[in-house]
Amino acid sequence: MPELPEVETYARQLAVLKGRTFLGAQVDWARSVPTGAEALGPRIAGQTILAVQRRGKYIVFQLSDDWLLVHLKMTGELQVQPAREPVDIHHRVVFDLDGGEQLRFHDPRKFGRVYLVADPAEVTGPLGPEPLEELFTPEVLQVRLHGRRGRLKSLLLDQTFVAGLGNIYADEALHRARLHPLRAADTLTADEQARLYQAIRDVLAQGVANRGTNLDWAYTQGTNQDALRVFHRHGQPCPTCGTPVERILVGQRGTHFCPQCQPPPPRGGAG
DNA sequence: AGCGTCACCCGGACGC
DNA sequence: TGCGTCCGGGTGACGC
């Protein structure tokens, strides 16, 4: 599932499209384009790509007039292919580019979304801070944790809390910070808050450096899978202490942790 | 407002 | 082999 490091990798690779101009677009699955499937082609035609960036888990194309934002959700991919190459049944949106190529949004599970808007804040407005930027400091995290009584794991997945973490990097960050996923967020000591801050930064920076986590079924680049300590490793020994990694459900999400390194909160969830 | 749950989807894994 | 069923994942809608 593309999270911040995977989306960052896509954005860097797609930067080669800078300067290219869209000629139009065809939409196979209308719900992929909440801003209007019929309007997409005519509106994007003639617009040149000025920059390719990332915000949270969105890939952000700055165009000459509008902004094109793509969320890959679980299984989405963006591909640049020659127009003569046949599309397959899972290509939901196909953009025509100058030069005989197409930008293709491949999404078997139809979860992903494509937005064409005048102001990117229409889409990214609710997102929390960028965890790898300088503006995200330990003090910012501390303030945002204040008064939050929910479980740490759920909070890390909340994109309005901090943008970019998904199931992989949330579990990895909590393990690195030695914090149990069920801890109530507002019960962290100052030292625990500092550990969580550093862990979030470290796992994401490492993921970016490794060009993402290859999970075969969701994303097939990168080497960060070799660096994972707990994610999808239930039953295997914790790399720190050797205790078997456990898997529980937190808010319907598979959650992996070491019961030794990440001691459970007292009864009732408070910590 | 914050928090938890459900719906959206379908490929793949599993059971029969 | 083929069919039916379940699961998972990020997010937005919804209810409390």
Side-chain angles (χ1 to χ4, degrees), chain A residues 219-239:
Chain A
Y219 180 84
T220 53
Q221 309 184 51
T223 60
N224 197 60
Q225 64 279 4
D226 301 330
L228 299 182
R229 298 183 183 181
V230 288
F231 187 76
H232 276 192
R233 295 190 73 250
H234 36 301
Q236 300 178 50
C238 165

Side-chain angles (χ1 to χ4, degrees), chain A residues 235-246 257-261:
Chain A
Q236 300 178 50
C238 165
T240 304
C241 74
T243 303
V245 171
E246 291 186 9
F257 69 101
C258 170
Q260 179 70 33
C261 298

Side-chain angles (χ1 to χ4, degrees), chain A residues 37-107:
Chain A
E38 301 82 8
L40 183 67
R43 181 168 169 185
I44 204 168
Q47 296 206 44
T48 298
I49 299 171
L50 304 181
V52 187
Q53 305 149 0
R54 177 195 59 75
R55 173 76 171 101
K57 301 179 191 174
Y58 290 90
I59 297 172
V60 181
F61 296 83
Q62 182 185 5
L63 309 181
S64 23
D65 295 321
D66 293 317
W67 298 73
L68 177 70
L69 294 94
V70 179
H71 198 305
L72 301 171
K73 293 289 175 82
M74 288 172 55
T75 52
E77 288 179 65
L78 279 176
Q79 307 162 341
V80 180
Q81 297 176 340
R84 63 176 179 279
E85 204 165 299
V87 298
D88 76 41
I89 57 169
H90 297 136
H91 280 122
R92 306 302 178 189
V93 184
V94 174
F95 299 91
D96 292 309
L97 290 162
D98 58 6
E101 286 188 318
Q102 291 178 333
L103 176 65
R104 296 174 172 181
F105 177 49
H106 189 267
D107 185 18

Side-chain angles (χ1 to χ4, degrees), chain A residues 1-6 57 73-74 152-159 164-175 181 203-204 213 215 217 224 228 230-234 247-257:
Chain A
M1 65 302 311
E3 306 175 25
L4 186 154
E6 293 77 30
K57 301 179 191 174
K73 293 289 175 82
M74 288 172 55
L152 270 184
K153 170 66 183 282
S154 302
L155 200 56
L156 292 185
L157 293 179
D158 180 351
Q159 300 300 294
L165 288 163
N167 217 30
I168 300 174
Y169 297 96
D171 282 0
E172 292 297 312
L174 288 174
H175 179 268
V203 297
L204 292 175
T213 300
L215 292 176
W217 54 276
N224 197 60
L228 299 182
V230 288
F231 187 76
H232 276 192
R233 295 190 73 250
H234 36 301
R247 182 182 184 276
I248 59 174
L249 281 181
V250 181
Q252 323 283 62
R253 292 289 166 262
T255 298
H256 316 78
F257 69 101

